[in-house]
Amino acid sequence: MIVILQQSDAMQGVEAFTKGTILPLFNLCAVQKRDLIILPFSNKPAQPLLFKNGTLEIEMFDQFLQHFLTGDAQIMPAIDKAIELFTQDNIGHQRDLMIITDNQFSDFHKLNQEVAAGKMQEFEIDLAVIAMSETAFEKQPISFADKVFFAND
């Protein structure tokens, strides 16, 4: 499972909420013996954090909790990096991708929804989005998501 977590300037007010959302995924991945990769991003993806079999490595997780990226959010490099990680097949055949975002991307105009949908289908990636606002999601939708949840609901 890969979690793409937006950490742009606009997300600073919900940092605790977004990082807390990831905690239950450790248990899920541990029970299922699946790797969990956290991929923070702002204008580019940060170094992916790999937690083998959902094992919560305290030092690495603490590093993640203490660090926050800044700048504008660009979704395309983060999606491309996640697809690259899936094609390396380091994390097994269950390909779940979660994007936690406010849907305010500076590169939204570059996002070709049909191409992205094709890649998700080609690699059998199940995509869920946790959007901070339904209004912002409607302005910049990720239409190829299999599931969408709104934090403000």
Side-chain angles (χ1 to χ4, degrees), residues 31 39 43 58 65 75 79 97 103 115 119 124 138 141 151:
V31 168
L39 183 61
N43 59 349
I58 299 300
L65 290 177
I75 190 65
I79 290 174
L97 177 61
N103 283 80
V115 170
K119 287 182 180 180
E124 299 178 1
E138 288 172 357

Side-chain angles (χ1 to χ4, degrees), residues 31-111:
V31 168
Q32 296 177 350
K33 304 278 191 251
R34 297 173 63 191
D35 294 345
L36 174 62
I37 296 176
I38 301 173
L39 183 61
F41 80 98
S42 59
N43 59 349
K44 64 181 180 181
Q47 181 69 31
L49 302 170
L50 171 62
F51 297 90
K52 295 294 287 176
N53 294 320
T55 301
L56 182 58
E57 296 178 28
I58 299 300
E59 195 171 301
M60 188 183 338
F61 192 69
D62 185 56
Q63 173 189 355
F64 164 69
L65 290 177
Q66 300 303 321
H67 189 71
F68 190 85
L69 304 173
T70 57
D72 291 337
Q74 293 189 26
I75 190 65
M76 286 303 303
I79 290 174
D80 290 342
K81 183 64 176 179
I83 290 172
E84 175 189 325
L85 292 167
F86 279 127
T87 58
Q88 291 172 357
D89 209 25
N90 292 336
I91 57 175
H93 298 290
Q94 264 188 301
R95 294 184 170 137
D96 293 317
L97 177 61
M98 178 180 291
I99 301 174
I100 302 174
T101 179
D102 72 354
N103 283 80
Q104 296 179 30
F105 309 119
S106 61
D107 65 340
F108 185 76
H109 62 283
K110 296 178 185 176
L111 178 58

